[in-house]
Amino acid sequence: MKWNCSPCSLLWLCALAKSEMSELKIYQSVAFLKSCRKEIFRLPEYFHCTLTDSSELQQLHSDMDKGDGSIKYILTGEGAGSTFTIDDSTGDIHAIQRLDREVKSQYVLRAQARNRLTDRPLEPESEFIVKIQDINDNEPRFLDGPYRATVPEMSKIGTSVIQLTATDADDPTYGNSARVVYSILDGQPYFSVDAKTGVVRVSLADMDRETREDYTVVIQAKDMGGQLGGLAGTTTVNITLSDINDNPPMFDQRLYQMSVPESAPVGSVVGRIWAKDKDIGVNAEMRYSIIDGDGRDTFDISTDPTNLFGIITVKKVPQFEPLGANTHLDAGLRHRGPFTDVTIVHVSVEDVDEPPLFDAPAYYVELKEDAEVGTVVKNVSARDPDAANNTVRYSIERSSDPEKYFYIEITSGSLMTVRSLDREENSWHNITVLAMEMNNPTQISSVSVAVRVLDVNDNPPSLTDYLEMSVCEQTKAGMVIQTVTAVDPDEPRGGQHFSYSLAPEAVNNPNFTLRDNQGNPAERSHIARFTSG
Ligand SMILES: *[C@@H]1O[C@H](CO)[C@@H](O)[C@H](O)[C@H]1NC(C)=O
Ligand SMILES: *[C@@H]1O[C@H](CO)[C@@H](O)[C@H](O)[C@H]1NC(C)=O
Ligand SMILES: *[C@@H]1O[C@H](CO)[C@@H](O)[C@H](O)[C@H]1NC(C)=O
Ligand SMILES: *[C@@H]1O[C@H](CO)[C@@H](O)[C@H](O)[C@H]1NC(C)=O
Ligand SMILES: CC(=O)N[C@H]1CO[C@H](CO)[C@@H](O)[C@@H]1O
Ligand SMILES: [Ca+2]
């Protein structure tokens, strides 16, 4: 069987009749410069004619065909009957379906001529291949887009940010249908794209994150080597500048005013200072130190858990200069000077209103019980320790002196007696003296004054019992009738010496005598003996 070439031209006329196929022109010459005897045919994809369009793909023609209709042509193989049909009397092959190289790029078909009456093969089957020729019917696509990328601020021109790849479904081995060229549609002058590789690069020096952080870049990929008529696809890349430590810290105040109560214990927080930093993250982290001033020995400064704030705590004098320094330094930017800042913190030590303070924690005085009424027992004194130095007023806490033995002079603090004391009744007067600030009665303090009353011999002795005794008539002289004992509330209790004698009216009675036995210390008793005369 021989391939008849001449009718092939008809095929292409059919193709060209379809306006959408204008590109087919390009392939026409390619397909037909080949000998029709070759068994490979190239057909442009999208080739799509119907029988009525007389869109023969190829005509089979047997040498034995005398044109009398006795020969029948048969087509078998891939797509036979569905994609391709053959006119069994003329041998014209038609494509009856749209062809798409990206779906199926070649078909293997077989044709044979047979006797129409006997159906006997006139020749052996001949195989041929239809290769579908690519046309540029696919635009490049960014399959992974849209993209996100990050590049450090201040990057040098040419720093690579991200590589984008567009894929083109067309045949990369044939023509330029899949030859993609990249260009940037949006994002200049900050970024550029490498036409061949699709690498997006920084194209502007010293881009500053603190000025602008986010950029939207639109990249186009165009096939046909970027030529006019090529198909194009686009994608966006969101590019974020990442932070580097390019900003020094700056205290938010040139001078801080703080105060701390003088009573503040060690470790208590005086205040917080903040060196702000335009950078973020570790680049804004701060370390604080006290570089000067008298506060160095009085206060400590530490960084809070967020690493941003300086916390001043009590360690004792009120002015110093703390330093705030970045902890994370960018090695490339050290030449830009110290990443530190200095501020002044003035701490005033506040006066806490304290109550009056007595000149002794407690007082003890001794006073004889026969002291005259009005005797000054003690001059107590209290002072307001505060800077205000308020005037102090004194008083006696009433419950501590319920019987009102004492009086205190309100301004001088002289404590005096107003009643006579009696040791035998009260040997101690433990009284509480109050001192109060005149301008601020809530500031009050107290002190204890223990007054010990000393004894004086102010009590006569008395006989222990009222004695009534009887004596027999015949009692012999010298017989002890009764022993008498005396007591005395004065001191020393039990250690006193008494002298006994008969009362004057009885002295001349000869019938009785009293003998003072001088208080035999061993017996610790004082005995008088009466004897009958
Ligand atoms: C890119 O940024 C735009 C606007 O800022 C946003 O709407 C979009 O979602 C971002 N795209 C991606 C992939 O992050
Ligand atoms: C108390 O003060 C007065 C005058 O200030 C003084 O004369 C007196 O001796 C003082 N008395 C005592 C017990 O200190
Ligand atoms: C407080 O004032 C008194 C007189 O009113 C004075 O004697 C005393 O020294 C003052 N104290 C202080 C701490 O100034
Ligand atoms: C008074 O105080 C003294 C010493 O502080 C103590 O020994 C005594 O018992 C107290 N007297 C009274 C009645 O509280
Ligand atoms: C003063 C007095 O009472 N004397 C008497 C002492 O005793 C004699 C006798 O017993 C009396 O006669 C006294 O009168
Ligand atoms: Ca293409």
Side-chain angles (χ1 to χ4, degrees):
M1 189 158 63
K2 165 177 146 208
W3 301 105
N4 186 338
C5 289
S6 52
C8 297
S9 323
L10 292 173
L11 170 81
W12 300 111
L13 289 173
C14 160
L16 291 170
K18 308 218 106 197
S19 59
E20 61 179 314
M21 303 292 167
S22 56
E23 294 96 336
L24 297 189
K25 251 188 275 181
I26 309 162
Y27 304 106
Q28 189 174 359
S29 54
V30 181
F32 285 88
L33 76 206
K34 305 195 190 300
S35 157
C36 286
R37 284 203 170 273
K38 289 208 171 159
E39 294 179 355
I40 292 178
F41 302 89
R42 293 191 185 278
L43 247 199
E45 57 180 324
Y46 280 114
F47 183 77
H48 177 47
C49 292
T50 62
L51 279 169
T52 52
D53 289 333
S54 63
S55 60
E56 299 91 332
L57 162 65
Q58 188 58 280
Q59 187 183 50
L60 290 176
H61 193 78
S62 169
D63 295 339
M64 295 178 181
D65 193 347
K66 304 286 183 295
D68 57 4
S70 63
I71 288 183
K72 179 175 79 170
Y73 294 96
I74 291 180
L75 185 68
T76 55
E78 292 177 318
S82 56
T83 306
F84 303 102
T85 59
I86 192 163
D87 182 324
D88 68 354
S89 52
T90 63
D92 291 347
I93 296 170
H94 307 264
I96 55 169
Q97 249 188 10
R98 192 184 174 104
L99 303 172
D100 188 351
R101 187 199 67 86
E102 282 77 52
V103 175
K104 187 164 173 60
S105 62
Q106 68 175 38
Y107 296 81
V108 179
L109 292 160
R110 290 177 301 282
Q112 196 173 39
R114 295 175 182 237
N115 183 297
R116 189 176 289 277
L117 295 174
T118 64
D119 202 32
R120 275 186 40 218
L122 301 175
E123 299 179 2
E125 224 176 31
S126 74
E127 188 180 82
F128 63 99
I129 294 168
V130 176
K131 282 204 166 172
I132 309 302
Q133 189 81 57
D134 186 41
I135 63 166
N136 189 12
D137 58 343
N138 289 285
E139 77 273 13
R141 288 209 176 103
F142 293 94
L143 300 181
D144 301 327
Y147 302 82
R148 265 174 214 251
T150 302
V151 67
E153 58 175 328
M154 303 288 167
S155 287
K156 291 200 180 91
I157 291 179
T159 304
S160 165
V161 180
I162 186 174
Q163 179 165 27
L164 308 181
T165 305
T167 48
D168 191 309
D170 294 323
D171 187 355
T173 63
Y174 179 76
N176 291 330
S177 306
R179 203 160 79 77
V180 170
V181 162
Y182 300 91
S183 59
I184 185 164
L185 298 187
D186 199 2
Q188 285 170 311
Y190 312 105
F191 298 98
S192 64
V193 66
D194 185 292
K196 272 189 190 160
T197 61
V199 173
V200 177
R201 296 180 190 281
V202 171
S203 65
L204 188 69
D206 294 339
M207 282 201 283
D208 187 16
R209 187 199 67 84
E210 287 73 34
T211 309
R212 182 175 166 188
E213 191 170 0
D214 295 311
Y215 295 83
T216 302
V217 173
V218 179
I219 301 292
Q220 183 188 64
K222 195 172 184 184
D223 62 18
M224 300 307 293
Q227 297 296 306
L228 201 67
L231 302 175
T234 61
T235 193
T236 55
V237 194
N238 283 1
I239 299 177
T240 303
L241 299 184
S242 59
D243 190 50
I244 66 164
N245 195 356
D246 59 339
N247 291 284
M250 281 205 350
F251 278 105
D252 61 344
Q253 293 176 33
R254 291 288 93 187
L255 172 68
Y256 291 87
Q257 295 277 8
M258 295 176 188
S259 61
V260 61
E262 58 185 332
S263 58
V266 168
S268 47
V269 173
V270 177
R272 194 176 82 160
I273 61 172
W274 184 21
K276 286 186 182 171
D277 195 305
K278 287 184 188 162
D279 298 320
I280 53 173
V282 292
N283 297 324
E285 286 184 1
M286 221 57 68
R287 187 180 51 234
Y288 296 90
S289 52
I290 297 171
I291 54 169
D292 206 0
D294 5 279
R296 295 184 80 161
D297 304 325
T298 312
F299 300 103
D300 267 335
I301 192 159
S302 59
T303 310
D304 79 331
T306 66
N307 286 323
L308 296 179
F309 301 100
I311 307 295
I312 297 166
T313 50
V314 173
K315 186 169 138 189
K316 176 181 164 181
V317 187
Q319 185 165 331
F320 63 93
E321 296 179 1
L323 170 82
N326 275 165
T327 52
H328 180 266
L329 291 183
D330 197 292
L333 294 173
R334 279 191 205 280
H335 63 278
R336 294 218 192 170
F339 277 61
T340 59
D341 192 25
V342 174
T343 190
I344 294 175
V345 178
H346 183 99
V347 181
S348 52
V349 178
E350 260 175 19
D351 192 23
V352 169
D353 200 1
E354 287 172 287
L357 194 62
F358 282 97
D359 58 4
Y363 302 91
Y364 169 80
V365 278
E366 293 180 341
L367 191 64
K368 288 190 168 174
E369 57 180 325
D370 64 351
E372 269 176 54
V373 166
T375 302
V376 173
V377 179
K378 184 75 194 171
N379 293 325
V380 302
S381 173
R383 293 257 168 268
D384 177 7
D386 300 326
N389 194 9
N390 284 323
T391 313
V392 171
R393 293 285 178 258
Y394 304 92
S395 58
I396 292 171
E397 212 255 300
R398 263 307 129 214
S399 65
S400 69
D401 182 27
E403 284 151 273
K404 301 194 179 152
Y405 281 98
F406 298 93
Y407 165 80
I408 195 162
E409 221 284 307
I410 189 164
T411 54
S412 68
S414 294
L415 182 68
M416 57 191 78
T417 55
V418 287
R419 283 178 60 185
S420 18
L421 304 175
D422 184 6
R423 188 200 66 81
E424 287 71 37
E425 204 178 324
N426 283 311
S427 61
W428 285 96
H429 292 274
N430 292 348
I431 58 177
T432 303
V433 170
L434 304 176
M436 177 193 291
E437 285 178 30
M438 198 164 78
N439 299 344
N440 188 356
T442 61
Q443 295 298 327
I444 188 163
S445 55
S446 63
V447 74
S448 152
V449 183
V451 180
R452 180 166 180 205
V453 182
L454 299 181
D455 185 50
V456 294
N457 194 1
D458 57 348
N459 289 283
S462 60
L463 295 175
T464 48
D465 301 300
Y466 174 72
L467 301 169
E468 204 177 80
M469 57 199 94
S470 51
V471 149
C472 299
E473 273 184 66
Q474 301 302 322
T475 302
K476 288 182 184 159
M479 173 105 175
V480 174
I481 301 166
Q482 179 72 43
T483 303
V484 297
T485 306
V487 291
D488 185 321
D490 295 324
E491 292 192 313
R493 191 160 288 274
Q496 288 149 326
H497 291 257
F498 301 109
S499 61
Y500 298 85
S501 58
L502 286 173
E505 63 268 23
V507 167
N508 297 319
N509 187 331
N511 291 336
F512 301 99
T513 59
L514 179 135
R515 196 174 79 213
D516 187 350
N517 69 0
Q518 302 294 309
N520 182 345
E523 293 174 3
R524 292 187 144 295
S525 60
H526 318 280
I527 300 160
R529 286 176 196 271
F530 291 81
T531 51
S532 60

